[in-house]
Amino acid sequence: MQDITEMKPFWMVYGLGQSAPRYQHSTEAAALREAERLAEVRPGVTFVVLEATQAVRTRRLDHFDLRTAPAPRGTRIPKAETDDDIPF
């Protein structure tokens, strides 16, 4: 799966009333050529070129390891008060 931050616009060809498009064309011209080819193969079906311009994702969880995270500058981490004589 491609990372959303690395995505570029792409184009897909959809035949109206047909199944969902699957192939991503890297240029509009390539998608238009494919639409023309498909229209020749399937007379009577209208093919449209769709441009993907936006991407949205939901991020449910962010994990952050507090044990290895650097403390912000100027932050003092108080020592825990224990009575077991263990130095950590």
Side-chain angles (χ1 to χ4, degrees), residues 21-63:
R22 290 178 249 198
Y23 186 81
Q24 296 180 8
H25 298 273
S26 58
T27 67
E28 183 178 10
L32 184 56
R33 282 192 303 276
E34 179 64 2
E36 292 169 348
R37 184 190 74 76
L38 291 169
E40 291 286 331
V41 174
R42 304 285 309 267
V45 177
T46 301
F47 290 90
V48 294
V49 174
L50 308 172
E51 180 181 10
T53 60
Q54 302 289 321
V56 179
R57 102 176 141 201
T58 298
R59 294 181 63 183
R60 300 233 179 231
L61 300 172
D62 283 329
H63 290 267

